[in-house]
Amino acid sequence: MSKAEEFEVVVVGAGFAGLYMLHRLRGLGLSAVVLEAGEDVGGTWYWNRYPGARCDVESMQYSYSFSEELQQEWRWSERFASQPEILRYANHVADRFDLRRDIRFSTRVVSAAFDDAAARWTVRTEGGAVISARHCVMATGCLSNTRMPDFPGLGSFHGKSYHTGQWPHEGVDFTGLRVGVIGTGSSAIQAIPVIARQARHVTVFQRTPNFSIPSRNRAMDEEYEHSWKGDYPARRAKARQMRTGIDYPVNPTPALEVGEAERRREYESRWERGGTAFMAAFGDLILDEKANETAADFVRGQIRATVSDPAVAELLCPHNHPIGTKRICVDTDYYETFNRENVTLVDVRSAPIEAVTPEGLRTAEAGYKLDALVFATGFDAMTGTLLAMDIRGRDGLTLGEKWEAGPVTYLGLMTAGFPNLFLVTGPGSPSVLSNMIVSIEQHVDWIAGALAHAQARGIETMEATAEAEAQWVEHGNEVAQRTLYPRANSWYMGVNVPGKPQVFMPYIGGVGAYREICDAVAAKGYEGFRLEGRRVSVAAE
Ligand code: NAP
């Protein structure tokens, strides 16, 4: 048995959450180590290097706000930053704040167990290292556990296959190849137009069409950059209060309160503006089915106007979920790509994929000869990465047992029975429904505040109470049920992973409202958490 190294805090993951957490822990004077499976920093932006990968939150907003110097000095080259640029930014932050010396790369955590008697976590890595820490922060990301369909014959394919979420670092040259892309979610919708410009032929295997809005991406306009940089504190403050953590124009009017012509004007102007602000065209798009249908109908009209073959256009039109209840996609030339001679759309809802063959793919209807396969088949989202580790709380209870019927947390930050284990942007928090960096900063700041509170009072353990957790889960479900979200077979609901409990995982109450709740909880001495220490014992329920 290796001897455990001791720290106050162990952080798992060196993406945007882990990097900022480490910076804050240093500020508190707490000894900390970050364990990262990848060979470098960046998390999601380290792994997702597929062609066309890009953030769909504007770069001026998808960036840290904690350092005025950082936000002034960093220059984004495009309205929506590409993956390589975001990765450069993560590296810049790691260097600028001298973070690397406390990060262990190529270090995958396999287990974390809470020792009741010592009130400490023991974290073990694949390489056999053992870390003992008072607190453990899971900064493991929500979309970090890739999902491959279990098609028969997967290993028999003669060509190369790739998953968008584990793309080779050296890139892939598709020149002259017949490429099959499986999936039409955000990743595929970004990758397909880029692959189609290079490959001999692209066959897109679509099971469910998605709604996608053009990004209208462009080079960064200097005036626009200056307008943000000159007003960053106010704009960041505004974004933190928004439902999505993004500062964009929100029209609170219900969609059916205005006439058809005005409604159309609003949709057209947002379609021209580009990006996810489309869903803020009216105040009730995710609440009211009829209102939602007006937006869905508008987008279907745009698809039909763009795609020249009416049969292909019809196949690309989503009908099985309200717009926005599956993550809305943002693209560059996605629908236009289906007008290319070298792109074919195959409906695998009516004729599902039956097997991967040595030559390519076979559906219930036909065989397809392919040289390369791209799986854009998504992730075991929000819980997959956490449950892939053997996490054990009090009395050896595993997180898998605790979350058997779906994830339960208090504020998405902690789960009862697992003292001193913090989750960053976990299930039960706005997380994937928001600008992730805004939510990450909010969570990390809150956790840092809780640790400072504990440090000042000699508190050894902090744990969500079962009652507070149950109330939070009930509240989260109630808010979700008021929306159209539960109607979609989405990864938000866990539907994409066979056997996964189907519950709406993120908190839909909005980033601003959620922040107020978290702040109020802290202001009341961490209401709903049990704080215990050797010198002090405070029941703050
Ligand atoms: P995804 O949205 O889960 O899409 C997976 C796709 O694979 C779906 O079209 C799914 O079809 C299909 N699929 C899965 N199994 C299949 C099977 N057996 N047969 C046929 N099709 C199958 O995954 P993703 O595109 O990687 O995106 C995940 C999330 O990452 C996004 O929603 C977003 O939050 C984030 N993301 C963001 C950006 C951005 O910022 N621009 C870019 C990429 C990803 P069904 O729908 O029928 O299940």
Side-chain angles (χ1 to χ4, degrees), residues 45 48 50 53-57 143 147 149-151 163-164 182-190 205-210 326-330 348-349 353 376-379 432 489 491-492 496:
W45 302 105
N48 286 268
Y50 60 84
R54 187 176 290 288
C55 188
D56 58 15
V57 176
L143 295 157
R147 227 205 116 247
D150 53 356
F151 298 137
H163 191 289
T164 48
I182 301 162
T184 47
S186 297
S187 302
I189 280 176
Q190 290 184 327
F205 296 92
Q206 171 188 272
R207 187 165 65 184
T208 313
N210 262 305
K326 277 189 166 198
R327 166 65 181 262
I328 194 114
C329 303
V330 174
V348 294
R349 170 144 328 254
I353 295 168
T377 45
F379 302 85
V432 290
N489 288 333
W491 58 256
Y492 296 139
N496 65 325

Side-chain angles (χ1 to χ4, degrees), residues 115-419:
D115 175 346
D116 272 295
R120 293 181 73 86
W121 282 91
T122 304
V123 171
R124 290 173 198 276
T125 74
E126 214 167 51
V130 185
I131 309 278
S132 165
R134 173 78 58 213
H135 299 97
C136 179
V137 180
M138 290 296 178
T140 40
C142 295
L143 295 157
S144 44
N145 186 299
T146 53
R147 227 205 116 247
M148 284 289 281
D150 53 356
F151 298 137
L154 259 183
S156 70
F157 182 53
H158 284 161
K160 289 217 166 122
S161 26
Y162 310 93
H163 191 289
T164 48
Q166 286 177 333
W167 204 258
H169 289 194
E170 62 280 12
V172 181
D173 185 1
F174 289 114
T175 309
L177 302 186
R178 296 162 302 179
V179 183
V181 180
I182 301 162
T184 47
S186 297
S187 302
I189 280 176
Q190 290 184 327
I192 289 163
V194 183
I195 298 175
R197 288 202 289 273
Q198 192 180 55
R200 170 144 63 102
H201 193 92
V202 175
T203 309
V204 177
F205 296 92
Q206 171 188 272
R207 187 165 65 184
T208 313
N210 262 305
F211 292 97
S212 189
I213 311 296
S215 69
R216 313 286 179 208
N217 188 32
R218 53 183 173 264
M220 181 59 71
D221 177 82
E222 267 197 40
E223 220 175 284
Y224 185 68
E225 183 187 357
H226 287 142
S227 74
W228 271 89
K229 288 192 171 175
D231 194 26
Y232 245 145
R235 293 202 186 188
R236 297 286 202 189
K238 188 167 171 221
R240 288 184 198 114
Q241 292 311 318
M242 303 288 287
R243 193 173 65 80
T244 55
I246 308 172
D247 177 12
Y248 54 44
V250 172
N251 178 8
T253 313
L256 296 168
E257 221 167 70
V258 301
E260 199 178 328
E262 190 180 334
R263 213 165 33 239
R264 192 166 176 87
R265 265 199 305 281
E266 184 72 33
Y267 289 141
E268 265 165 4
S269 92
R270 286 180 187 253
W271 186 263
E272 283 319 308
R273 173 195 169 95
T276 55
F278 183 84
M279 284 309 294
F282 293 101
D284 55 351
L285 294 185
I286 59 154
L287 300 173
D288 182 274
E289 203 174 338
K290 286 203 174 93
N292 185 285
E293 190 54 21
T294 64
D297 227 24
F298 174 84
V299 174
R300 286 190 289 260
Q302 297 298 318
I303 298 171
R304 292 185 188 112
T306 308
V307 179
S308 6
D309 181 331
V312 175
E314 230 27 67
L315 208 49
L316 287 166
C317 284
H319 287 283
N320 82 345
H321 61 280
I323 184 168
T325 56
K326 277 189 166 198
R327 166 65 181 262
I328 194 114
C329 303
V330 174
D331 70 277
T332 300
D333 294 340
Y334 177 62
Y335 295 120
E336 290 81 350
T337 296
F338 292 91
N339 294 334
R340 292 176 69 100
E341 292 281 309
N342 70 335
V343 175
T344 310
L345 182 65
V346 173
D347 175 21
V348 294
R349 170 144 328 254
S350 57
I353 295 168
E354 285 188 337
V356 173
T357 63
E359 298 78 36
L361 260 185
R362 195 180 69 236
T363 71
E365 242 164 30
Y368 296 86
K369 287 201 162 57
L370 303 163
D371 305 306
L373 272 175
V374 173
F375 288 88
T377 45
F379 302 85
D380 183 350
M382 302 203 76
T383 56
T385 303
L386 292 168
L387 296 178
M389 293 176 274
D390 182 10
I391 301 177
R392 288 168 193 261
R394 283 197 200 278
D395 308 318
L397 179 74
T398 68
L399 192 63
E401 288 160 352
K402 170 88 198 275
W403 288 3
E404 206 179 354
V408 284
T409 66
Y410 178 36
L411 301 171
L413 279 158
M414 294 192 105
T415 186
F418 295 76

